[in-house]
Amino acid sequence: MSAGFAVVDVETTGLVPGRDRVAEIGVVHVDPDGTVRDRWETLVNPQRDLGPQRIHGIRAEQVRDAPLFADVLPEIMRRLDGRVFVAHNARFDHRFLTAEILRAGEEFPVVADDVVCTMRLARTFLPGAGRSLQDCCNAFGLLLEDAHTAGADAEATAHVLSAYLSMAPEDPRWAAALERSAAAAWSVPARAGHPGLSRADSDRLGSLRRRLAAAWSDGMLSPESVSGLYAEAARLGVPGEHIDALLQEPAPAPPGRWPGATVPVIPGQRLVLTGQMGRPRHEITERLGAAGYPVHPTVTRSVALVIAADPGSMSLKARRARDYGIPVVGEDVLNTLLGGL
């Protein structure tokens, strides 16, 4: 017999599975009787630029300590094992999850025809209402907080599903979906995997990393500073092994002078842009070119500066720039170069 439903939401770096990546996933369990329980969520390091950050709100700093998808896959599979895959606009979430699982070298036994989509079911259960998750929540008087965070969206979708179940508990579609999920041939990886890292936990780690950087400010890390770091971690509920990992990182280098460590950027020097910025890329490129700053498509050693939508970007351009010692700065620098956009 099926264990029930697994309601899933993913936040991604874009809209194309296989090219774009999952940056966050949330899973909430719903029992066959509609009881909502067991919310779990984790950030995922996509190893690339985060894409539309204005939508999902994930910062590069937050995914710095997050697991890779392959590392957290065992936990994801255990949470989906034997359950009906449910999502709002399920085709989107299912396609992304399938692409990520295949990339990790595993098989995903849930096919598109077996998913339950709460957006499509709104036609039956909420005729005349809108189809967005917010519309469905409004129709049932449900509160959708922190929209476009995977855990919150998955939980809201779980409550929408629960409302559907209570409206038509004998609908044969539920029994059919539960039977198919129980019969699916799951192969959950035996390795333990990473337990996941939520946005809140990532922010706590970021706070500790900043405290560690401050402790390094005099060029050394005293035993008192280390003890204080572990004490603060305990207060924040951060496991000690995370602090162990932080202490293994090299001491942060002193910040250089913007926009370069030794010389300012001057007209004629090449710039590179990366990430989805607040203005269209072609418009920024034209403005920079007119001001005498040619925009180069790739990072080479001749590039003077990389301007990123998020200065902590993990895009290939940003990573290569750091390898070459080229400064990576935020798009607010455009105001300095162009006198405002």
Side-chain angles (χ1 to χ4, degrees), residues 38-104:
D38 194 25
R39 168 174 162 172
W40 173 84
E41 62 214 274
T42 184
L43 292 164
V44 178
N45 187 333
Q47 298 180 289
R48 56 151 291 165
D49 183 80
L50 282 161
Q53 290 172 281
R54 66 188 182 280
I55 296 176
H56 55 59
I58 301 171
R59 307 186 308 276
E61 178 188 27
Q62 289 178 303
V63 296
R64 176 176 178 176
D65 297 299
L68 303 180
F69 189 90
D71 293 335
V72 81
L73 178 57
E75 184 67 26
I76 294 172
M77 295 286 269
R78 278 191 286 273
R79 290 179 178 275
L80 301 183
D81 184 8
R83 293 178 178 269
V84 179
F85 184 101
V86 183
H88 201 80
N89 190 13
R91 183 172 180 268
F92 178 88
D93 300 85
H94 178 263
R95 289 177 65 207
F96 262 97
L97 206 53
T98 299
E100 290 285 3
I101 291 172
L102 291 175
R103 183 193 290 265

Side-chain angles (χ1 to χ4, degrees), residues 10 27 83 102 126 130 134 173 184 207 212 226 265 272 290 312 333:
V10 296
V27 181
R83 293 178 178 269
L102 291 175
L126 296 172
Q134 184 66 69
R173 285 175 290 192
S207 172
L212 179 60
V226 173
V265 171
V272 167
V333 166

